[in-house]
Amino acid sequence: MSLPELTYPSDKKSLYFLLKTRLIGLIDGIPYRVSNLANTSALLYEALPDINWAGFYLTENDRLILGPFQGRPACVEIAAGCGVCGTAAQQNRTLLVANVHEFPGHIACDSASNSEIVIPIHEGGRVIGVLDIDSPILSRFDEADRQGLEQIVKTLEEFL
């Protein structure tokens, strides 16, 4: 017996509220960081339209190392300050990039990606990784996505 597919709302405010609620249900009481990140990337990949990659890079020394993700194979290691992910981590701020091909030093793990959003993840006041989401659509991400995904990351930070 298979479960019916969940239909996600097209209104972004409703979508992100539902995603936050589902995320809490997936990770509350689960003490395994990698499992929680894996389920988060699967949830986002399933729910967000027009994306081709959703996942995490985790801080190790002065670089980001590939963590759980959904999508095509990706770059394993990113130096601090390099590409959108390395820059977002180094600057400790969300980066919303409408056209990655215009971003200085962009790292093209998947040539189909055209826009990207990266949100730093914190623990104890320091950046421990980033949430990275790519899309083949130019200007795919907007302020509603930024706010919604920052709430997803805040939820993760509470439970990690």
Side-chain angles (χ1 to χ4, degrees), residues 89-147:
Q90 186 176 61
Q91 295 179 0
N92 190 19
R93 67 184 181 100
T94 297
L95 289 181
L96 193 155
V97 181
N99 183 345
V100 296
H101 308 290
E102 295 175 355
F103 189 88
H106 173 252
I107 301 168
C109 294
D110 182 351
S111 62
S113 294
N114 287 310
S115 62
E116 185 170 5
I117 186 167
V118 178
I119 301 102
I121 304 167
H122 305 90
E123 181 178 73
R126 65 183 180 88
V127 176
I128 61 162
V130 297
L131 168 61
D132 177 24
I133 303 178
D134 295 357
S135 173
I137 310 296
L138 291 167
S139 301
R140 158 61 182 86
F141 305 102
D142 60 18
E143 191 59 30
D145 293 300
R146 175 197 303 267
Q147 291 173 8

Side-chain angles (χ1 to χ4, degrees), residues 13-122:
K13 186 174 181 176
S14 300
L15 171 64
Y16 286 111
F17 179 80
L18 176 60
L19 288 176
K20 181 178 175 181
T21 302
R22 288 200 65 210
L23 178 61
I24 291 168
L26 284 170
I27 67 176
D28 187 16
I30 306 298
Y32 309 111
R33 179 176 291 193
V34 171
S35 301
N36 288 336
L37 295 176
N39 274 333
T40 303
S41 63
L43 175 66
L44 294 172
Y45 193 77
E46 171 188 72
L48 297 178
D50 301 320
I51 67 168
N52 60 327
W53 203 90
F56 298 92
Y57 281 91
L58 304 173
T59 305
E60 186 175 303
N61 300 320
D62 288 333
R63 60 187 192 251
L64 293 169
I65 304 299
L66 180 64
F69 71 93
Q70 298 283 311
R72 296 181 73 181
C75 305
V76 172
E77 190 174 329
I78 298 173
C82 291
V84 181
C85 289
T87 302
Q90 186 176 61
Q91 295 179 0
N92 190 19
R93 67 184 181 100
T94 297
L95 289 181
L96 193 155
V97 181
N99 183 345
V100 296
H101 308 290
E102 295 175 355
F103 189 88
H106 173 252
I107 301 168
C109 294
D110 182 351
S111 62
S113 294
N114 287 310
S115 62
E116 185 170 5
I117 186 167
V118 178
I119 301 102
I121 304 167
H122 305 90

